[in-house]
Amino acid sequence: MEEKQIHSVQDWLPIQKILEKGIIKLKNNSYVKILKVIPINYNLKSELEKEAILNSYKIFLKTCNFDIQILIQSNKEDLSKHISNIKNQMEKETNNNILELSKNYINFIQKINNEKKSSSKNFYIIIKNPNKNKKEDINEEIIFQDLNEKYFKIKECLSRCGNVVQEYDSKEETRQILLSFFNSRNFINNN
C-alpha cells in the first residue's frame, strides 16, 4: 500500500519571503510589489472631468512599459452592526417622525443588503521585477530600486486621474493583504 505524500499550502504558494514596503520574494527568485489604489468616484464627475480622467488613464497605460496586474477585490459589507445601532437609537427616540424614518431606513438597508448591492471594493496593482537570470546571488537593492521607480511612476500617473496610490509599510500589512487574497471569506468574516 502506497502512502500518500502530504503537501502543505506553503509548498504550493509561490511566496518565498515577505519583505518591507509590500515587496515579496517569490520562489523563482523574482520579486513583486503590491500597491493599494484608492480610487475616485468616476460616476460623480462631470463629462469634461470624465474625459480628462480617461485621457490621463490612457497616458498611464502607455507610460507603464512594464507588466502590471490590476486586482479588484469585492467584499460584501456586514451591515448588522449599523442596523443594531439604529435600533438602539430608536429605543431612546420619542419623536414618531424620526421613528418612522428610522424604520424606513432600516428596511432600505436590508433591501440593499439582500440584493447584494452593499459591497466595498479594494483596488490593487501588482508590479513585478522578473529577475531574468534566476540566480540567487542577485543584488536586492537594485531590484528594490527598480520596483520603487515603477511605484513612483504609477503613483504619479494615477494621481493625475485623481487616484491615490499607497505602498504597504510593514511586513504585517503585506501578510494581511495576502491573507485577504487567499482566504477572502474568512478574512471578511473576522474583520
Side-chain angles (χ1 to χ4, degrees), residues 100-146:
E100 186 64 30
L101 284 172
S102 297
K103 286 178 190 175
N104 290 338
Y105 180 60
I106 289 173
N107 289 336
F108 174 72
I109 291 172
Q110 289 172 331
K111 180 182 176 196
I112 288 175
N113 203 29
N114 290 338
E115 293 173 357
K116 299 182 185 349
K117 292 183 181 178
S118 60
S119 67
S120 63
K121 292 186 178 7
N122 294 319
F123 298 86
Y124 304 94
I125 293 180
I126 301 170
I127 54 179
K128 185 176 185 179
N129 179 293
N131 184 21
K132 294 181 175 107
N133 62 10
K134 305 289 185 225
K135 292 182 184 174
E136 188 65 41
D137 60 343
I138 51 175
N139 187 342
E140 281 190 343
E141 195 171 306
I142 293 171
I143 291 170
F144 295 170
Q145 184 177 357
D146 174 61

Side-chain angles (χ1 to χ4, degrees), residues 1 13 26 32 53 58-59 63 94 96-97 112 124 138 140 149-150 167-168 173 175 178 187-188:
M1 183 179 231
L13 288 175
L26 302 177
V32 295
I53 291 166
K58 287 177 194 174
I59 292 169
T63 303
T94 57
N96 287 335
N97 290 334
I112 288 175
Y124 304 94
I138 51 175
E140 281 190 343
E149 286 173 11
K150 291 174 181 176
E167 65 182 353
Y168 289 93
E173 286 177 308
R175 275 190 203 98
L178 288 172
F187 183 79
I188 292 166

Side-chain angles (χ1 to χ4, degrees), residues 9 16 22 28 30-31 53 68 86 88 92 106 110-111 119 130-131 142 145 149 154 170 175 185:
V9 173
Q16 180 178 338
N28 66 2
S30 61
Y31 292 76
I53 291 166
I68 63 170
I86 295 169
N88 288 339
K92 301 172 192 171
I106 289 173
Q110 289 172 331
K111 180 182 176 196
S119 67
N131 184 21
I142 293 171
Q145 184 177 357
E149 286 173 11
I154 290 170
S170 71
R175 275 190 203 98
R185 179 164 287 147

Side-chain angles (χ1 to χ4, degrees), residues 18-66:
I18 297 173
L19 306 165
E20 297 295 326
K21 301 289 185 185
I23 298 174
I24 301 166
K25 182 178 182 181
L26 302 177
K27 289 180 181 173
N28 66 2
N29 286 326
S30 61
Y31 292 76
V32 295
K33 181 175 177 109
I34 302 173
L35 307 173
K36 182 170 184 161
V37 179
I38 302 169
I40 57 167
N41 191 333
Y42 181 78
N43 293 328
L44 296 179
K45 301 298 179 182
S46 70
E47 290 306 315
L48 187 60
E49 289 172 316
K50 286 180 180 180
E51 187 175 329
I53 291 166
L54 286 176
N55 287 331
S56 295
Y57 191 71
K58 287 177 194 174
I59 292 169
F60 158 67
L61 293 175
K62 289 179 182 177
T63 303
C64 291
N65 56 351
F66 48 86

Side-chain angles (χ1 to χ4, degrees), residues 76-97:
K76 186 171 180 348
E77 291 296 322
D78 179 13
L79 300 175
S80 59
K81 289 180 186 175
H82 182 59
I83 292 171
S84 177
N85 287 338
I86 295 169
K87 287 180 178 178
N88 288 339
Q89 291 297 318
M90 287 174 63
E91 291 173 5
K92 301 172 192 171
E93 187 58 54
T94 57
N95 186 325
N96 287 335
N97 290 334

